[in-house]
């Protein structure tokens, strides 16, 4: 019996996708698990694996078409079956069903957060989220959460306690792309339950990720030893379905082209849209304050030079790598700045994971150096380089772009002297680094040539007030100006 | 369709089956001239005579065993226990003989017998007459255990039980005999309900209530109350405890994400414990809260009315359990 | 006997009781119920020879001998570990089951306790099937699912061996009830030991059989010992058949040494059941030469006592009687050799058969 295949939900927040390319041909026989197409989603290029066997009798969309979630993309059946009725149905807008994607290896989340990788997201998930398209559309988005108020005796889990969540809450979080660490549990002992996840999904919206959508283009310019940085912050991705590296795709074509008009409308890529919504939200809802210092970079440069000499051809350290390390150590020393505003509580992170903004064509992404305070500078350097490379190739894995507790953004290679960055919720701080400048400085009464680097710390005033931020910058400054301290 | 009482439905079922099959007979205490202690067999003696409606003295072990022997050689006995409390006197015949003869004889003899009668608490009849013993029988392979909650289920299931070639323990609700429900007309063909199939008595999306016999009614009442609080309950009635329709039960819990099991028996090793195991085993990822269970208190039933009411699950107990499963504060 | 409508005569020692309709009750107890002279009724003369012929006795002797040899073979197999669990041998009591069942027609029913090998064989099951069952083989009488205690044979109307003694009495009453219900004229025999006569199930079965006048013959194989408990320590009155009086039921009591006597006396009760639908409670005094089961060291009785009873061995007695009746030595030897061959063949069959392999197919009948 032939069936219409609809575009499956390949990422928790996906509403539509672009069928980048078919990896099979019309008439090919397929078995469960076979890759049949690549689809660009709001997060990344995803594999469309089929779960049935049969013959791909007809493709209903072309490569490059944008398709809504669940809309018909192909017809699967037995060779020689008459599918004219189905084709007609599909063309006239009859629903296809969104088949569950083949279980991809789900990324392992933060240990504190959650359970085993979701092997079958669609199967394990509640029907509400994975309902086939022929269900009542309005109802399919979300099962109505219970309307009553949360029980008064519930409290969020005390800091440091195990994260408790009901199995349903966990599977729902996977589906909706919610980071359970951001959810306040209202069940006994702070257990996170379904309504808590839904509340965050519907109300907060702050959790879903803008993962870099692939766009073509040249690599960002800049010095070889400085990773390309990006101007603004990037929202944290939380456990989307795993990504597999995909080849770059053709660009989206502009919608209108009128040679006499004064403008051209270029459709915003998914990543662009994501950046737009996240940053607007951050700018609007978080009270930013900006603390600035100009630091003496001479010792830092010398230190870097010495390290690179020692490394030889085994690697190359950049100023930014040292900045990352210094940031991490300073956060370890002043953990109040390694925190997050949760509403009624301030969440103190126990580990230091630094998000490093990386510019990629048409946008930016923030891969995470985990436990940066524990890693050697060389490791950090190597990791940053690898992540940046893969970021540009859209080859980052889901777990590599989530979980940062503080971010660093460097526009030095673009000649920017100083700038202020926008916070990356739910973090409470982001450091913006400018270029190293040759400036005249006064030293022992004489004017000499000095090296200065401007750093600006954007703080979430709900968590970090001026004084606290200043103290942090003091610690940071000392590490930068006396870089040997980085080894202590 | 007609709205008839549970008692009448059982009567009809037995009458129809006895008309249809001359091998069916009824044996028990006061089933004939007395017209049945609960009037379930009313009028049958007149219709079928003493040969087929047999009044027995107080000898449950004896007449249950006679039923087993008669069934082995081809008759289809309906053995009535005045209440299932008295079945304990005959439990040797049910568990050691009826349940096992098919296997012990390597399939040569089977025992198409129905042991039926009321079970569970009544009103102020004291501890020896108020027990819900279904878990004792549901434990035993070789038996089927059926517990209808409505007149419709009672009729359709009793007919199926009589036609079943296996021993069926058919436990009726002692306080349900007067309850009414819509049942297909007697003349409209054979109304049979398959043994082993659960029934969704009320659809809902927020939480699944699993209950059987009298507790189905308690759950339906609780569901009405809860609907006013914005909570929609799905009430699932297994109808047959052995074999249990695990599929229907778990499908409901996978849909709603929460489950409360309501039974009038005692908590320790009650049948609800088996249901709870099945639910958590198959629905783990769908559960938003642990499976809740509402049972009678773990005590022999007291006599005084107020105490008896307190011991048993009441509507407010079910409501409280539902709200617990939804992490809602207690009402009022 | 008419069983539908009309009056049913129930005769008790010549008295006729009337009944209003077809029913199972309304026993009218007449004045002529025999009351015992003393509490204990002496059995009949055990040494009295019963009139018979070679034609009648030889097959009975063959059956008893086959049972004896079969039991000996099982004992041997048990000690070799080829049979496990419980094994209760009927050695010494063969005359009772063989004689009683010889009084039956093939479609009459028999119900026994766990000491049932002799009953199954006498009713018509093959020694092959019985031994294979003891060995737990697929070819066993009940496919290896019952074992020694639970032999059943629907082809011969052997309604089973039961482990919960006394509880099987109502089952036998049920088979008798079905016969009466259908009016098919069958009789049912229920065998039990004296140790099973105290338990409630027995009492209820007897009471209901008497009340409803069921065509049932209850045969107590009183072998003097209830496992390790002698008679005088288990029964206040050492005559199980006396309970019949309490129920207005016919009774009988005699020694079980002579297979033909057993047959004759049981035949009377069978006839009563068949023709007037009345039960009888009979005690047959007998003795088992082996222990209660294979694990019984037999410390509760003296070797002398056992030897004394062995001198009353029904097999020896019948064999002698055959000789006395003029059966030729050669024919007797041939009979005995035939039995030997049959049992050897049965043992080989049991040993060579495949093990039982299916325990799921007969739990619920689809």
């Amino acid at each position: 019996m032939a069936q219409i295949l609809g575009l499956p939900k390949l990422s928790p927040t996906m509403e539509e996708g672009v069928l980048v390319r078919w990896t099979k041909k019309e008439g090919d026989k397929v078995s469960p698990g076979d890759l049949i197409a690549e689809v660009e989603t709001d997060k990344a290029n995803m594999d469309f694996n089929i779960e049935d066997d049969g013959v791909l009798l007809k493709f209903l969309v072309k490569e490059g078409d944008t398709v809504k979630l669940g809309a018909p993309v192909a017809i699967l059946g037995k060779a020689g079956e008459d599918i004219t009725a189905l084709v007609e149905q599909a063309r006239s807008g009859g629903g296809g069903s969104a088949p569950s994607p083949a279980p991809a290896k789900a990324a392992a989340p933060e240990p504190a957060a959650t359970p085993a990788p979701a092997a079958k997201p669609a199967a394990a998930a509640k029907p509400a989220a994975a309902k086939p398209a022929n269900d009542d559309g309005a109802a399919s988005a979300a099962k109505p959460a219970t309307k009553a108020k949360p029980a008064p005796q519930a409290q969020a889990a005390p800091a440091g306690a195990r994260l408790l969540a009901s199995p349903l809450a966990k599977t729902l979080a996977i589906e909706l792309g919610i980071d359970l660490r951001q959810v306040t549990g209202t069940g006994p002992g702070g257990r996170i339950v379904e309504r808590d996840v839904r509340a965050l999904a519907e109300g907060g919206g702050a959790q879903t990720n803008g993962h870099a959508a692939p766009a073509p283009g040249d690599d960002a310019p800049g010095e070889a030893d400085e990773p390309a940085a990006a101007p603004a912050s990037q929202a944290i991705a939380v456990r989307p379905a795993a990504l597999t590296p995909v080849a770059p795709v053709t660009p989206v074509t502009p919608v209108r082209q009128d040679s006499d008009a004064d403008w051209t409308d270029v459709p915003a890529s998914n990543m662009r849209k994501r950046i737009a919504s996240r940053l607007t939200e951050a700018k609007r809802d978080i009270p930013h304050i900006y603390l600035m210092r100009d630091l003496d970079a001479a010792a830092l440069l010398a230190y870097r030079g010495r390290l690179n000499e020692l490394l030889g051809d085994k690697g190359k350290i950049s100023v930014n790598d040292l900045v990352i390390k210094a940031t991490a150590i300073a956060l370890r020393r002043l953990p109040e700045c390694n925190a997050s505003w949760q509403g009624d509580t301030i969440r103190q992170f126990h580990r230091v994971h630094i998000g490093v903004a990386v510019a990629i064509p048409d946008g930016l992404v923030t891969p995470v150096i985990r436990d940066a305070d524990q890693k050697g500078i060389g490791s950090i350097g190597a990791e940053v380089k690898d992540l940046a490379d893969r970021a540009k190739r859209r080859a980052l894995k889901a777990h590599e772009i989530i979980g940062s507790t503080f971010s660093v953004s460097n526009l030095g290679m673009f000649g920017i002297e100083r700038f202020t960055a926008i916070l990356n919720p739910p973090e409470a701080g982001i450091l913006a680094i400018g270029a190293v400048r040759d400036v005249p400085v006064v030293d022992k009464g004489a004017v000499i040539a000095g090296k200065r680097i401007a750093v600006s710390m954007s703080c979430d005033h709900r968590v970090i007030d001026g004084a606290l931020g200043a103290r942090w910058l003091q610690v940071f400054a000392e590490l930068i100006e006396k870089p040997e301290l980085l080894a202590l | 369709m007609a709205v008839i009482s549970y008692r009448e439905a059982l009567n009809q079922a037995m009458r129809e089956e006895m008309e249809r099959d001359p091998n069916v007979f009824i044996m028990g205490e006061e089933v004939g001239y007395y017209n049945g202690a609960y009037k379930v067999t009313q009028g049958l003696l007149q219709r079928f005579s003493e040969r087929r409606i047999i009044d027995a003295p107080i000898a449950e072990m004896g007449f249950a065993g006679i039923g087993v022997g008669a069934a082995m050689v081809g008759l289809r006995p309906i053995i009535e226990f005045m209440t299932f409390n008295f079945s304990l006197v005959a439990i040797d015949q049910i568990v050691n003989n009826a349940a096992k003869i098919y296997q012990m004889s390597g399939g040569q003899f089977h025992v198409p017998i129905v042991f039926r009668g009321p079970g569970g608490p009544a009103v102020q009849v004291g501890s020896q007459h108020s027990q819900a013993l279904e878990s004792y029988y549901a434990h035993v392979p070789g038996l089927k255990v059926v517990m209808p909650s409505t007149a419709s289920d009672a009729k359709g299931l009793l007919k199926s039980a009589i036609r079943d070639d296996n021993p069926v323990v058919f436990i009726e609700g002692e306080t349900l005999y007067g309850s009414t429900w819509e049942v297909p007309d007697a003349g409209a063909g054979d109304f049979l309900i398959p043994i082993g199939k659960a029934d969704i008595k009320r659809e809902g999306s927020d939480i699944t209530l699993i209950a059987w016999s009298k507790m189905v009614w308690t759950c339906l009442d609780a569901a009405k109350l809860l609907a006013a609080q914005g909570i929609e309950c799905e009430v699932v009635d297994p109808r047959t405890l052995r074999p249990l329709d695990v599929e229907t039960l778990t499908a409901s819990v996978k849909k709603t994400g929460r489950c409360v099991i309501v039974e009038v028996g005692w908590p320790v090793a009650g049948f609800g414990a088996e249901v709870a195991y099945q639910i958590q085993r198959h629905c783990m990822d769908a559960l938003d809260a642990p499976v809740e269970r509402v049972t009678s208190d773990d005590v022999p039933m007291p006599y005084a009315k107020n105490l008896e009411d307190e011991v048993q699950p009441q509507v407010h107990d079910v409501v409280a359990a539902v709200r617990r499963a939804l992490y809602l504060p207690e009402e009022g | 006997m008419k069983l539908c409508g009309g009056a049913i005569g129930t005769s008790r020692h010549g008295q006729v009781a009337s009944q209003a309709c077809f029913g199972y009750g309304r026993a009218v107890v007449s004045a002529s119920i025999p009351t015992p002279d003393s509490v204990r009724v002496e059995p009949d003369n055990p040494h009295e020879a019963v009139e018979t012929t070679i034609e009648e006795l030889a097959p009975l002797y063959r059956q008893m001998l086959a049972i004896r040899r079969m039991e000996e073979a099982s004992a041997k197999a048990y000690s070799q570990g080829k049979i496990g669990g419980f094994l209760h041998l009927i050695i010494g009591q063969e005359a009772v089951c063989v004689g009683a069942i010889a009084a039956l027609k093939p479609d009459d029913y028999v119900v026994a306790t766990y000491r049932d090998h002799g009953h199954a064989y006498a009713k018509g099951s093959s020694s092959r099937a019985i031994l294979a069952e003891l060995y737990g083989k697929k070819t066993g009488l009940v496919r290896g699912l019952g074992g020694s205690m639970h032999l059943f044979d629907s082809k011969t109307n052997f309604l089973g061996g039961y482990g919960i003694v006394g509880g099987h009495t109502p089952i036998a009453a049920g088979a008798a009830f079905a016969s009466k219900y259908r009016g098919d004229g069958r009789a049912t025999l229920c065998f039990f030991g004296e140790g099973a006569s105290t338990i409630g199930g027995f009492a209820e079965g007897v009471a209901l059989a008497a009340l409803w006048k069921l065509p049932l013959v209850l045969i107590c194989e009183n072998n003097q010992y209830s496992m390790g408990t002698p008679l005088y320590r288990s029964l206040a009155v050492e005559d199980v058949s006396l309970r019949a009086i309490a129920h207005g039921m016919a009774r009988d009591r005699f020694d079980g040494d002579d297979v033909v006597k057993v047959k004759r006396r049981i035949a009377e009760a069978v006839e009563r059941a068949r023709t007037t639908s009345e039960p009888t409670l009979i005690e047959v005094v007998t003795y088992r030469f082996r222990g209660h089961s294979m694990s019984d060291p037999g410390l509760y009785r003296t070797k002398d006592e056992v030897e004394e009873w062995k001198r009353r061995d029904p097999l020896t007695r019948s064999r002698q009687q055959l000789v006395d009746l003029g059966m030729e030595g050669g024919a007797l030897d041939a009979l005995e050799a035939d039995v030997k061959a049959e049992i050897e063949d049965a043992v080989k069959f049991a040993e060579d058969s495949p093990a039982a392999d299916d325990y799921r197919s007969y739990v619920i009948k689809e």
Side-chain angles (χ1 to χ4, degrees), chain C residues 91-108:
Chain C
I91 293 175
Q93 302 176 213
E94 294 88 342
V96 185
C97 56
V98 169
I101 291 173
L104 295 180
K105 294 193 194 133
D107 62 354
D108 290 324

Side-chain angles (χ1 to χ4, degrees), chain A residues 7 61 70 94 106 111 126 138 144 167 204 231 252 258 287 312 317 336 338 346 352 416 453 462 483:
Chain A
L7 188 71
V61 298
K126 287 185 47 179
V252 289
D258 182 337
I317 305 286
E336 300 91 311
N338 191 34
I346 291 174
V352 179
I416 298 297
I453 184 170
R462 301 170 299 186

Side-chain angles (χ1 to χ4, degrees), chain A residues 124 126-127 143-144 146-152 166-169 171 187-188 191 193-195, chain B residues 205-206 229-231 254-258 283-290 323 326-329:
Chain A
K126 287 185 47 179
K143 183 181 84 58
T146 56
K147 299 147 194 109
K149 300 182 295 299
S166 78
L168 176 57
T171 46
R191 182 190 299 158
V193 296
E194 182 200 4
R195 64 171 173 221
Chain B
S205 48
D206 293 324
Q229 296 170 18
I231 298 168
K254 282 180 187 164
K255 177 176 102 170
T256 63
R258 295 150 199 99
C283 306
M284 187 183 88
D285 293 304
L287 283 171
D288 193 41
R323 292 184 71 88
L326 286 161
Y327 304 105
L328 297 170

